[in-house]
Amino acid sequence: MEALIKALPKAELHVHLEGTLEPEHILALAERNHISLPYASAEEVLAAYDFTDLPSFLKLYYAGMAVLQTEQDFYDLAFAYFEKAAAENIVYVEPFFDPQAHTSRGISFDTVINGIYRAQLDAAAMLGLKCNLIMCFLRDMSAESAMQHLELSLPYRQWIIGVGLDSDEKGNPPSKFAAVFAKARKAGYKLTMHCDVNQDNSLQHIHECLHKIDVDRIDHGINSLESDELCELIAERGIGLTVCPVSNRFCVNDLTGNEIRKMLAKGMFATVNSDDPAYFRAYLSDNLQALADDAAFTAEEIVTLVRNSFLACWLPDFLKRPYLLRIDHIANKFIQTSGVAA
Ligand code: ADE
Ligand code: ZN
């Protein structure tokens, strides 16, 4: 299984760049930017990661990213993730970034996007990794702030493929951002929104995503399984669901393997992703391996999930096809070989 997961070309559709900031990197950036932290070692940083739900995680996530100050810091953050991704044979990424988490600390939008975009160009050239950025709005900030950041992004429209919605979901439904997302759609952006697992009004939020916002994808979306109507709509529209098993194990104490299986059985495009790998201590391959080890996912199921990420990504069909052909070629070889050995 480990060899199969490594050999398959993979796409990641739900990873927050700020959530890839490793403890060692937090310490190095703090030193470079003369910021004093209450930690003397990476072990001490890790020991402070005692989150048990979304709000307790977000507190540490925002505290960690305060060390990001300059364009070079954003370049280094993104390039370090791209190197890790390429090493595990991820060939395509649609990563999130959270500009409001930086502009609210006095860092300009241009500083953030220029650093990330430069890393993206270098990753394509040096690592053969393709990437399209998704700009997320923080849903616990105002709709006015989201609209201002949408305006700020427009000069960079060609660098950003879509917009998303993340941060604390409690009391912050999709409909709060209906006008922002309508304007983003007009500007040509693809649309996605987090519907984190077991939030207050999760089902209502998914309903709004589908009926009021008309999203192209849903991030997490596990609670859609509580409604046959919503499941049918998601399957019918071919909407991808970016599930994050190890993140779910931290935030709701469950790898959600059964839920992923149910989605696949209903013809929904479930995909597997890492969310905030430096915090949840698991990158994409670790998430796939966890499903195999702890939820008995078969090689066929893993291949289906890896294929789904390319089907649900926002590349044009002619660019998806070569990846799908390669997956099928590798999967056939592996599954036949293991069949013979058995
Ligand atoms: N920001 C970073 N990770 C997040 C998650 N899993 N849910 C909501 N906001 C986030
Ligand atoms: Zn997320």
Side-chain angles (χ1 to χ4, degrees):
M1 185 60 83
E2 215 179 308
L4 171 67
I5 291 171
K6 179 79 202 278
L8 290 169
K10 292 171 288 295
E12 167 109 73
L13 307 182
H14 185 155
V15 60
H16 301 261
L17 282 176
E18 294 90 343
T20 69
L21 188 55
E22 289 285 344
E24 293 79 5
H25 204 164
I26 291 180
L27 293 171
L29 287 174
E31 197 178 331
R32 184 155 100 184
N33 292 326
H34 313 291
I35 296 169
S36 76
L37 292 177
Y39 313 111
S41 67
E43 289 70 32
E44 284 184 30
V45 178
L46 272 178
Y49 291 176
D50 61 351
F51 30 80
T52 49
D53 55 15
L54 182 58
S56 60
F57 159 71
L58 288 171
K59 222 171 132 187
L60 285 152
Y61 170 78
Y62 292 121
M65 70 177 79
V67 297
L68 295 163
Q69 300 278 327
T70 65
E71 184 187 313
Q72 188 62 37
D73 296 344
F74 286 94
Y75 174 95
D76 290 343
L77 166 75
F79 195 76
Y81 166 67
F82 294 144
E83 274 190 313
K84 281 209 172 68
E88 60 172 284
N89 202 13
I90 292 174
V91 294
Y92 179 61
V93 200
E94 288 174 2
F96 300 127
F97 71 111
D98 284 336
Q100 288 158 293
H102 311 300
T103 55
S104 59
R105 302 183 288 114
I107 315 286
S108 77
F109 187 90
D110 311 273
T111 298
V112 177
I113 190 133
N114 283 318
I116 295 173
Y117 188 66
R118 199 154 51 78
Q120 193 180 322
L121 292 181
D122 284 358
M126 295 186 212
L127 310 168
L129 179 76
K130 190 169 170 56
C131 169
N132 279 308
L133 286 176
I134 302 175
M135 178 178 82
C136 277
F137 303 111
L138 300 188
R139 67 200 306 159
D140 42 3
M141 292 185 74
S142 68
E144 290 72 27
S145 171
M147 195 61 103
Q148 281 162 7
H149 284 76
L150 178 61
E151 298 284 355
L152 283 175
S153 78
L154 293 177
Y156 301 99
R157 170 67 195 84
Q158 295 314 311
W159 294 2
I160 300 171
I161 197 167
V163 295
L165 187 68
D166 63 2
S167 204
D168 197 351
E169 194 162 331
K170 194 176 167 68
N172 297 301
S175 53
K176 173 177 166 185
F177 298 94
V180 179
F181 276 70
K183 185 167 173 146
R185 169 75 84 204
K186 277 214 179 97
Y189 287 120
K190 294 278 194 183
L191 311 182
T192 187
M193 287 182 160
H194 275 56
C195 292
D196 269 89
V197 190
N198 298 349
Q199 298 296 296
D200 289 358
N201 303 319
S202 272
L203 207 53
Q204 173 64 23
H205 290 184
I206 295 170
H207 190 276
E208 288 182 13
C209 276
L210 295 168
H211 289 288
K212 286 201 177 147
I213 312 290
D214 194 18
V215 293
D216 299 290
R217 216 154 60 206
I218 295 176
D219 300 309
H220 298 289
I222 289 282
N223 296 86
S224 59
L225 290 166
E226 293 160 19
S227 158
D228 287 341
E229 184 244 317
L230 294 185
C231 288
E232 276 164 30
L233 205 55
I234 288 168
E236 217 175 86
R237 292 188 190 170
I239 289 174
L241 298 147
T242 63
V243 182
C244 307
V246 175
S247 162
N248 293 343
R249 189 152 64 186
F250 272 96
C251 292
V252 295
N253 232 338
D254 187 349
L255 202 57
T256 57
N258 288 336
E259 288 76 3
I260 294 173
R261 279 213 174 90
K262 281 186 197 155
M263 287 175 172
L264 295 181
K266 287 172 181 284
M268 298 154 83
F269 286 108
T271 67
V272 171
N273 305 272
S274 68
D275 209 0
D276 300 283
Y279 289 88
F280 301 129
R281 314 307 299 155
Y283 283 80
L284 174 54
S285 298
D286 304 316
N287 275 269
L288 292 165
Q289 190 70 47
L291 288 176
D293 292 344
D294 302 337
F297 271 56
T298 64
E300 283 85 352
E301 286 172 318
I302 294 294
V303 170
T304 299
L305 290 167
V306 169
R307 280 188 113 256
N308 279 357
S309 293
F310 288 97
L311 292 171
C313 82
W314 291 335
L315 287 173
D317 284 348
F318 79 95
L319 288 180
K320 292 182 183 187
R321 200 176 130 72
Y323 293 125
L324 292 167
L325 284 172
R326 179 147 181 77
I327 290 173
D328 291 346
H329 178 70
I330 290 168
N332 280 338
K333 273 207 325 211
F334 262 86
I335 291 167
Q336 271 170 21
T337 310
S338 65
V340 170

